């Protein structure tokens, strides 16, 4: 449909432009529409080493957010430093709830959360968020259950909602993309935000990348990286089952380390 077409931002090439629609629309939808973000507020965007966070953190910073994110290791803290988050929670030695409490005491209580992890962390954090916090759940990668302290929900006036881009109508998506062009494209053109591209695959590798994405449920960029390194679906499945790789499927160092672990037991037939 015509409503789903956007111009390429000035200064970006086709590969960079191809990375924009889904990730940028998802972040914009949940930051501004569902999260009702205002400049100067504090955003919690967990899973800082994820592909979506590589978009959401710089976007939020460009619009004036104080950003808190989380990763599993100190190594990942260093690797995502370029995204510009103000506070990175290193889950290898600290908890999200403790950091959110400390940040609140320091004057940065969480106003908006865009949460792809879920799990028990949600309930643990609610007592320390700001009055009127909007907690937007976009996936449940860390678990489907949590214990919600209803007193905190009540007294702080927390809004806890779920959000999915894919279930929206074409009209809704078209309106969102039009707004994206108006509000975000200027920041892309000025260089305030830049898409992160690891590698561009030739067209003849597209089917392989999509096959891996369908098989594993990975983001297209992660699947493309796996394909570019020569991993077929069965090898990729084994690689992604390794704990180190689950920290971030896009990190080549982790993929190579995981590959050494599974190389002797996995073959693609």
């Amino acid at each position: 449909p015509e409503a789903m077409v956007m111009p390429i931002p000035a200064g970006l090439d086709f590969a960079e432009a191809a990375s924009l629609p889904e990730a940028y629309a998802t972040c914009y939808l949940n930051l501004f529409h569902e999260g009702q973000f205002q400049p100067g507020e504090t955003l919690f965007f967990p899973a800082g080493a994820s592909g979506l966070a590589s978009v959401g953190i710089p976007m939020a910073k460009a619009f004036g957010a104080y950003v808190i994110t989380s990763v599993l290791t100190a190594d990942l803290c260093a690797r995502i430093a370029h995204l510009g988050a103000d506070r990175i929670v290193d889950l290898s030695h600290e908890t999200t709830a403790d950091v959110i409490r400390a940040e609140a005491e320091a004057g940065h209580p969480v106003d908006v959360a865009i949460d792809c992890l879920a799990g028990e962390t949600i309930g643990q954090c609610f007592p320390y968020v700001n009055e009127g916090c909007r907690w937007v759940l976009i996936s449940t990668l860390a678990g489907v259950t949590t214990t919600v302290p209803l007193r905190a929900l009540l007294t702080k006036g927390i809004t806890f909602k779920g959000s999915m881009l894919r279930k929206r109508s074409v009209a809704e998506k078209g309106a969102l993309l039009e707004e994206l062009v108006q509000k975000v494209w200027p920041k892309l053109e000025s260089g305030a935000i830049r898409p992160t591209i690891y590698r561009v695959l030739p067209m003849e590798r597209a089917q392989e990348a999509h096959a891996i994405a369908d098989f594993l449920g990975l983001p297209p960029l992660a699947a493309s990286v796996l394909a570019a390194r020569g991993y077929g679906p069965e090898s990729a499945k084994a690689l992604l089952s390794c704990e180190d790789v689950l920290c971030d499927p896009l990190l080549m160092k982790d993929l190579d380390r995981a590959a050494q672990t599974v190389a002797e037991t996995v073959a693609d037939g």
Side-chain angles (χ1 to χ4, degrees), residues 3 8 33 36-37 66 78-79 100 137-138 145 160 186 188 228 255:
I8 295 177
H33 287 245
Q36 293 293 301
F37 170 79
Y66 183 93
R79 295 190 193 190
I100 285 181
L137 185 66
I138 64 172
T145 60
F160 182 32
L188 286 162
L255 281 174

Side-chain angles (χ1 to χ4, degrees), residues 212 216 218 221-231 236 239-240 249 255:
I212 296 174
L216 298 175
L218 292 175
L221 180 56
S224 297
V225 169
L226 286 166
R229 293 303 293 265
Y231 300 121
L239 287 169
L240 267 296
L255 281 174

Side-chain angles (χ1 to χ4, degrees), residues 51-81:
L52 197 60
S54 74
V55 171
I57 292 172
M59 179 185 293
K61 291 299 298 178
F63 282 95
Y66 183 93
V67 179
I68 303 169
T69 189
S70 62
V71 294
L72 294 178
T73 67
D75 183 48
L76 289 176
C77 286
R79 295 190 193 190
I80 70 163

